Each structure stands twice: as structure tokens, then as C-alpha cells.
Amino acid sequence: MPVAHDDTRPLTLRDVSEASGVSEMTVSRVLRNRGDVSPATREKVLEAAKALGYVPNKIAGALASQRVNLVAVIIPSFRNMVFPEVLSGISSVLEETDLQPVVGVTDYLPEKEEKVLYEMLSWRPSGVIIAGLEHTDASRAMLKASGIPVVEIMDVDGTPIDSMVGISHRRAGREMAKAILKAGFQNIGFMGTKMPLDHRARKRFEGFTEALAKNGVEIMDQEFYSGGSALAKGREMTRDMLDRTPELDFLYYSNDMIGAGGLLYLLEKGVKIPEEIGLAGFNGVELLDGLPRKLATMDACRTEIGRKAAQIIAARVDNPDAEIEKEIELTPTIAYGGTLRRK
Amino acid sequence: MPVAHDDTRPLTLRDVSEASGVSEMTVSRVLRNRGDVSPATREKVLEAAKALGYVPNKIAGALASQRVNLVAVIIPSFRNMVFPEVLSGISSVLEETDLQPVVGVTDYLPEKEEKVLYEMLSWRPSGVIIAGLEHTDASRAMLKASGIPVVEIMDVDGTPIDSMVGISHRRAGREMAKAILKAGFQNIGFMGTKMPLDHRARKRFEGFTEALAKNGVEIMDQEFYSGGSALAKGREMTRDMLDRTPELDFLYYSNDMIGAGGLLYLLEKGVKIPEEIGLAGFNGVELLDGLPRKLATMDACRTEIGRKAAQIIAARVDNPDAEIEKEIELTPTIAYGGTLRRK
DNA sequence: TTGAAAGCGCTAACAG
DNA sequence: CTGTTAGCGCTTTCAA
């Protein structure tokens, strides 16, 4: 039971020192399990600390030791289920170390990224994990100057500041295009998000159209949305697109949520899938397991990216000169589901 | 363009001071927009800071000023879409202030909550927003002793340590039970998560059964799941329960995701909804907008809870003695959708 | 095994 | 408007 202390000032090491009759230094040693302390003193100190309800001040500790056990993690959004999964990969690895992730969100805005980064770096974290390879010049400069390990994640189509872990979205788009053509579809429509700043979606789209072009095929129709429930948007866009371009025989969605919306719509209409129309999404979200028909998709290796990135940080914090692989490309595989088969 | 400095030591105020020929104190004033500084010196300082690529050290700043602009936010999980929405409510309010949220995750484990809380409090944040009213004794003690504003969110069925913002889950359960009975359903099944530590789900369930009992009705069947895709689980559980208890005429799901799974399953089977079977979920997630039929649900006021909680913290940080309402109960309303109407 | 002194990088408070 | 002084609460380093 914490014992009340005079005023409302937070407790300090000194309070514990006085309460236990042991020097501040020794109290500090006990509380950090550092150096040799006799079991007796140790006992006394722990008792006093607990009785008082002492919580160490990491700010002072960090300033004195010049070490901060935080890892800055910067992502575009929490709403896109992709990022929580990356975070859980990061957490699972960092939990084994004494490092702690601290998350910042950019809303896909470069200026906000810059601000968040500045804010986080000012806490002098031990490392940075940041989504994407595209940053403002100022952001790059800060990251370079920080002198701490930096891992850029999700994407490998570009040059990292320090190291990177991800998939090639360009290649992902190409692979999907090839699979669709191979399955015999030719009249292809595309639906995606209206987000010029989502570089990974853009790269997938570019890879996709590029691979089609190489085979003499061009997208017949395309539509981009923003805002609203992705599932509902997928439904609407699919309806509109098919009204507009009824000869389509395949729909490629830039994410699984809108793909699921499209799938539900088509099933309701009694459209034969994939005989009349084939479908594919992107991400491999768990949600798809519950749909009436499994949507073809491509796994973005989210958890694994998080794990690998955290491992790099942990290794470098442990030993700044550790020999580590600086560019890790994971390979997503196509899950064919029931919507991308030879028609 | 940042100018290289000798060694790899991070830059300090002193470096900027020397580069600009202005005292450290004045540099500090400029960088914080504090006090009066002549435009000329101001200019010089900003230029030097930018040229060097200086990023302030908040650790030192916080220690010196005894003020930390962080708000600790402690939630059970990122995976449950509820929490990202609460976060976005919090962010939207804190963005207008100079406070910053820092998120910690407990995985619904009281001991982990305790650990995360300890960890966060050791950074001496300006306030704490924490999900739920149930905590270990040690956690409560820490929160009380912290001397900072604490807002417990999501739930109001209990006594807060300091203040609380949320809905009454017990009442939510009761209201739903009444609505179901009023619509003429009597043979009711329940499906939920197998999470003894999800107190809010438990309270909803208790309120639900209690209100039924008051009307002489008892749940005919119930099932609890854990792990896996919620959509898929909803589908499976619904199938199993109807196989087991075919006379059911209403299914109440503890969250919208499993409810959506059940809905999709029943629609596929050609079951008439709500004539043969009525359905309801809980949360009011955006996802539902895209389903073939809108599922009845109850809004959990997620964003609003986040906003209100952040407002309380901001007000108290601004003025510790501010007169504020300490217990805010929001009232969820039933969205009837198309699955809870008189059959 | 324990303690004393010095200082981490910044800001409050005051003086000019 | 600008500078000086004295810490913030801890840990590092060295001495006992």
C-alpha cells in the first residue's frame, strides 16, 4: 500500500534513498539490476520503493545515460488494417528486447510525416521504422543526420536511406497482370483509391498496366474513390463500372476491402464468378476468409515485414557495427481463391 | 542543406549558439517562440539551426521544464477496429493543442496493462487515457499517485479513478434485449467472444440476459469463440447454432464482424431476414454499409468518446483546477438496419 | 559492495 | 531584448 508523502510533487530517487537509508546511487543500482548490491540492501530498497509507489523518471535517466529505449514507428494510418498488422510484427520482436515502439501517424501527408518525424526524433529514439521510401528532403536529412538505425518498410522499389524491408509493389502488379492474362481474361477494369500520395498503390498500378501493355492489353476502364466505407465503395464502383463497360471480364481492385464489396455485389446479381467475371484484390486480409467466395489476392507480408524491421533495429542497437542485410525483399505469392481461375 | 559537423555526437543548443553567435538562452527562446526576441537575432538563429539540421532534445527540455507534452493512451488492441477510431477522435482534438498521444497496447491482459502503464508513467506524461474501469490494484495506485489527469474510457458502469467517458454497456445490452422483444422475437441465441477479460462485452451480455429475464425470456442457445477471422467465425457459429437449435428466431452477436458473417451465411442459405430470423450486432462499424443487407446494431460512440476524453485532458493540462464534468455517459442509439423489424 | 562528485542538454528565474 | 546562474533527476565515473 503506497504511503502518502507530503506534497503532490512526484517521488524521486532521493525519497526512496531517505526512506531506505541507502544512497541514491545504490537505490538506482537496485532499481536497474545493475552492479553488485548485497541482498540485504537490495531488499530494503525494493521495499521502500514499493511502499512509496515510486515510479522512476525515465526522462532524467535517459538524459543522464544518453540512452532511450524507444523505437519510433511512423505509419500513414491506423485505419488501413495493413498497418496494425505490421505493428504487431514489430511488437512481437521488440517484446523480447527492452525496446519499446512508439507510433506516429502521417495520414499519408509528407508534411505531416516531416512534423511527426521531427517530433519523434526530438525524443532521441534508438531507431526509426518508417513506412515507404518517399519522404521530403527535410525528412531524409533528419533521418540521415540522426545517426540512428533507420528501416524503411513496405516497399523496396527505390533506394533506402539506411536499410529497407518490403515487397516490390511494381512487381506485385506485374505478377497479378500476368496471372490474369494467363487465366484467359482480356477485358480488364481497375478500381483503386484516389490517393496520389499512396506510392505503393501507384507502383502496383504502374506495374500492372506495364505488364498488360507488354502483352498488348490495355485497361478498358478504371475508377478511383476516396472516403467512405471501402466495402460500400467497392459495391458502388463495381456496379457503375459494369453499367458503363459491360464487356469487362475481369476486375482488379487495389485492396481487398473494395474487392470484397465488388464480390458481394456480383454474387447478389447472380453473376457467375469467375466464368463471367474474374476478380482479384490485394493484401490478403483475414477478412476474406469469411466471404461466400474467397477473393483472389496477394499477400503483402505485413507481419513479416514488421518482424524483420524490428530485428534489424534490435541488432543494430545491440551492436552498431553488426553485419546485417540492408535491403530485404520479401516475395508475395498469389492466393487464387475462387475468383481467378481459367474461365 | 545541413552542414556536416565534426564527430557523430548529436547537435546541441550550444552548437547553434556558437554558429549563430547568440547565447544558448536566446536560441532556446527562438526555437520555442517564447518571449521577445528581435527579428534580426531570430533570423540568425533560425538560419543557423536549419543549416546545422538541429533537432532539439526534448528529453533535456522536459527535465528542465518539468513539462512533457505527451498523453499516454492505453488500449487493449489495435486489431479491434473500435480502438483505432477512438484514437482518431483523440488525435483530432489533441492536434489543436501541443499535446501528443502515445499509444500502448495491453492485449486485454491486466498484468500487461500494469507494465505498460508503469512504462508510460515513467515518461511523466501530462495525462492518461485508459480503456476500461477494471485495473489491477497496482495500476490504480499508480494512476492515483501520478498526480496527472486520468480519463477512463469506453465504459461507465463503475467508479472512475479520476474521470470517465463512455457508454453503459449494461444498459446497451438491456436496450437491445427490449428492442428485440418488442419486435416480437422470443427464441434468442447469443454469440460472442470467449474473453473473460473483455469486461465491456461481459457487461453487455449481463444487461442483455437480465432484461430478457425480466420479461420471462431466457437465451435458448449461446456460443463463444476465440481467435481466427471474425467474419468466418460468425459464419461457422451461426451454422452450428442453427443446426443445434433450429427453432431460434433471433441471433444477437457481441460484435458486428461476427454478425456480418452470420448475415452473409443466412442470406446465402436463402433464409428470410428478418421474417424467419432476425439479427443484431454491436458497434456500428462502417463496414456494415457495404453488406447486402444492413445489420441492426448499436453505435458505441467511439470517435466521440475519444474526443471528449482528449478534451478533458487538454482542459486539465491547461488549468488543473478547471471545473469539468468528471463522468460523461454517452447514449448509444439502435440502428435498426434491415434485420431487426417486427417479423 | 557502497558512496560522492560531476554533468547529461535544456529551461526557469532573475538581472541587466 | 539578451544574458547569467542554477538546477531538473538521474547515471557515469571514480574513489573508498
Side-chain angles (χ1 to χ4, degrees):
Chain A
M1 204 45 178
V3 168
H5 57 288
D6 295 358
D7 51 354
T8 83
R9 161 187 61 79
L11 293 160
T12 68
L13 216 43
R14 167 178 234 122
D15 295 307
V16 182
S17 164
E18 283 170 1
S20 62
V22 175
S23 79
E24 283 186 46
M25 196 52 235
T26 301
V27 172
S28 168
R29 286 197 183 97
V30 172
L31 264 25
R32 285 177 301 142
N33 291 312
R34 272 278 162 57
D36 292 318
V37 180
S38 77
T41 3
R42 194 186 154 66
E43 192 67 17
K44 259 195 298 189
V45 170
L46 288 175
E47 208 167 296
K50 191 160 190 185
L52 292 170
Y54 172 69
V55 176
N57 185 331
K58 284 217 180 186
I59 301 193
L63 183 62
S65 66
Q66 304 283 63
R67 290 160 358 80
V68 178
N69 69 338
L70 301 176
V71 176
V73 180
I74 299 177
I75 59 174
S77 160
F78 278 127
R79 313 298 271 249
N80 189 334
M81 324 220 289
V82 168
F83 298 107
E85 294 192 41
V86 174
L87 286 182
S88 99
I90 293 174
S91 298
S92 69
V93 170
L94 294 189
E95 264 171 17
E96 321 256 286
T97 72
D98 68 340
L99 295 170
Q100 275 223 328
V102 181
V103 184
V105 170
T106 70
D107 291 326
Y108 289 97
L109 301 172
E111 315 79 46
K112 191 159 179 205
E113 178 181 274
E114 193 176 310
K115 208 182 119 200
V116 168
L117 184 59
Y118 184 81
E119 211 61 40
M120 301 199 103
L121 286 180
S122 73
W123 287 102
R124 300 286 187 269
S126 291
V128 176
I129 296 175
I130 185 168
L133 291 163
E134 285 77 17
H135 317 285
T136 66
D137 288 344
S139 293
R140 296 177 158 289
M142 279 190 269
L143 287 169
K144 274 187 195 139
S146 70
I148 57 178
V150 175
V151 186
E152 289 164 280
I153 57 170
M154 311 308 289
D155 189 4
V156 297
D157 293 323
T159 310
I161 293 168
D162 177 10
S163 57
M164 64 182 175
V165 181
I167 66 170
S168 164
H169 287 264
R170 242 184 260 286
R171 189 208 300 220
R174 283 201 303 269
E175 298 293 333
M176 187 53 91
K178 283 193 248 171
I180 292 167
L181 293 176
K182 195 167 168 198
F185 299 98
Q186 292 275 334
N187 302 339
I188 300 167
F190 177 88
M191 283 167 257
T193 46
K194 190 187 292 163
M195 298 201 16
L197 295 170
D198 184 343
H199 299 283
R200 293 174 288 285
R202 174 178 54 75
K203 288 173 184 173
R204 284 199 300 280
F205 182 63
E206 286 170 4
F208 187 68
T209 52
E210 175 198 312
L212 290 184
K214 202 168 274 178
N215 287 276
V217 176
E218 210 173 289
I219 280 178
M220 285 185 78
D221 197 350
Q222 61 190 66
E223 190 170 339
F224 301 87
Y225 78 100
S226 63
S229 153
L231 205 63
K233 285 289 176 182
R235 177 179 288 272
E236 288 168 28
M237 285 196 293
T238 303
R239 183 195 60 212
D240 295 350
M241 186 172 285
L242 288 175
D243 282 356
R244 202 164 53 216
T245 320
E247 60 272 42
L248 288 172
D249 67 357
F250 199 93
L251 301 173
Y252 180 38
Y253 298 87
S254 80
N255 71 63
D256 286 337
M257 270 310 236
I258 54 174
L263 175 61
L264 289 176
Y265 170 78
L266 294 172
L267 288 174
E268 266 169 69
K269 297 282 279 187
V271 173
K272 284 200 175 47
I273 295 174
E275 293 76 10
E276 296 178 47
I277 298 185
L279 302 170
F282 180 82
N283 263 339
V285 300
E286 202 178 48
L287 172 91
L288 300 182
D289 294 344
L291 295 178
R293 181 83 55 99
K294 244 187 141 179
L295 182 69
T297 190
M298 212 162 182
D299 179 26
C301 309
R302 304 174 297 281
T303 310
E304 193 53 24
I305 287 174
R307 294 185 56 85
K308 285 244 155 58
Q311 280 160 1
I312 291 179
I313 299 286
R316 300 271 305 272
V317 166
D318 220 48
N319 169 11
D321 311 308
E323 289 278 333
I324 53 152
E325 210 180 334
K326 291 226 158 192
E327 311 194 355
I328 300 182
E329 175 173 353
L330 302 177
T331 314
T333 51
I334 294 180
Y336 283 81
T339 67
L340 170 52
R341 288 186 310 234
R342 194 167 301 278
K343 54 171 184 170
Chain B
M1 204 42 179
V3 168
H5 55 289
D6 294 358
D7 51 353
T8 84
R9 161 186 62 79
L11 293 159
T12 69
L13 216 44
R14 166 179 234 121
D15 294 307
V16 182
S17 166
E18 283 170 0
S20 63
V22 176
S23 79
E24 282 185 46
M25 196 54 231
T26 302
V27 172
S28 169
R29 286 195 183 98
V30 172
L31 264 24
R32 285 177 300 143
N33 291 312
R34 272 275 162 54
D36 291 318
V37 179
S38 78
T41 1
R42 194 186 154 66
E43 192 67 16
K44 257 195 301 191
V45 169
L46 288 175
E47 209 166 295
K50 190 161 191 185
L52 292 172
Y54 173 68
V55 176
N57 185 332
K58 284 217 179 186
I59 300 194
L63 184 61
S65 66
Q66 303 282 62
R67 290 163 356 81
V68 177
N69 69 337
L70 301 176
V71 177
V73 180
I74 299 177
I75 58 175
S77 160
F78 277 128
R79 314 298 271 248
N80 188 334
M81 324 222 289
V82 168
F83 298 107
E85 292 192 43
V86 173
L87 286 182
S88 103
I90 292 174
S91 298
S92 70
V93 169
L94 294 189
E95 265 171 18
E96 320 256 288
T97 73
D98 68 341
L99 295 170
Q100 275 223 328
V102 181
V103 183
V105 170
T106 69
D107 291 326
Y108 290 97
L109 302 172
E111 316 79 46
K112 191 160 179 203
E113 179 183 272
E114 193 177 309
K115 207 182 120 198
V116 168
L117 184 59
Y118 184 82
E119 211 60 42
M120 301 198 102
L121 286 180
S122 73
W123 287 101
R124 300 285 187 270
S126 291
V128 176
I129 296 175
I130 185 168
L133 291 163
E134 286 77 15
H135 317 286
T136 65
D137 288 343
S139 293
R140 296 178 158 288
M142 279 191 269
L143 286 169
K144 274 188 194 137
S146 70
I148 57 178
V150 175
V151 186
E152 289 165 278
I153 56 170
M154 311 307 289
D155 189 3
V156 297
D157 292 322
T159 310
I161 293 168
D162 177 11
S163 58
M164 65 181 174
V165 181
I167 65 170
S168 164
H169 287 264
R170 242 185 262 284
R171 187 207 301 218
R174 283 201 303 269
E175 298 292 334
M176 187 54 91
K178 284 194 250 171
I180 291 168
L181 293 175
K182 195 168 169 197
F185 299 98
Q186 292 274 336
N187 302 339
I188 300 167
F190 178 88
M191 284 166 256
T193 44
K194 190 186 294 164
M195 297 198 22
L197 295 170
D198 184 342
H199 300 282
R200 294 174 289 286
R202 173 178 55 75
K203 288 172 183 174
R204 284 199 300 281
F205 183 62
E206 286 169 4
F208 186 67
T209 53
E210 175 198 313
L212 289 184
K214 201 168 276 177
N215 288 274
V217 175
E218 210 173 287
I219 281 178
M220 286 184 76
D221 197 353
Q222 62 190 65
E223 189 170 339
F224 300 87
Y225 77 101
S226 64
S229 154
L231 206 62
K233 284 289 177 185
R235 176 180 288 272
E236 288 167 30
M237 286 195 295
T238 303
R239 183 196 59 212
D240 296 349
M241 187 173 285
L242 288 175
D243 282 354
R244 200 162 54 216
T245 320
E247 60 272 43
L248 288 171
D249 67 357
F250 199 93
L251 302 173
Y252 180 38
Y253 298 87
S254 81
N255 71 62
D256 286 338
M257 270 311 236
I258 54 175
L263 175 61
L264 289 176
Y265 170 77
L266 294 172
L267 288 174
E268 264 169 69
K269 297 283 279 187
V271 173
K272 283 198 175 47
I273 296 172
E275 293 76 10
E276 296 177 46
I277 297 185
L279 302 171
F282 181 83
N283 263 340
V285 299
E286 202 177 48
L287 172 91
L288 301 182
D289 293 345
L291 294 178
R293 180 85 53 100
K294 244 185 142 180
L295 182 69
T297 190
M298 212 162 182
D299 179 25
C301 308
R302 304 175 297 282
T303 310
E304 193 52 25
I305 287 175
R307 294 184 56 86
K308 284 244 155 60
Q311 280 160 2
I312 291 178
I313 299 286
R316 301 271 307 272
V317 166
D318 221 46
N319 169 11
D321 311 308
E323 289 278 333
I324 53 152
E325 210 180 335
K326 291 227 157 189
E327 309 194 355
I328 300 181
E329 175 173 353
L330 303 177
T331 315
T333 52
I334 294 181
Y336 284 81
T339 67
L340 170 52
R341 286 187 311 234
R342 194 168 303 278
K343 54 175 184 168

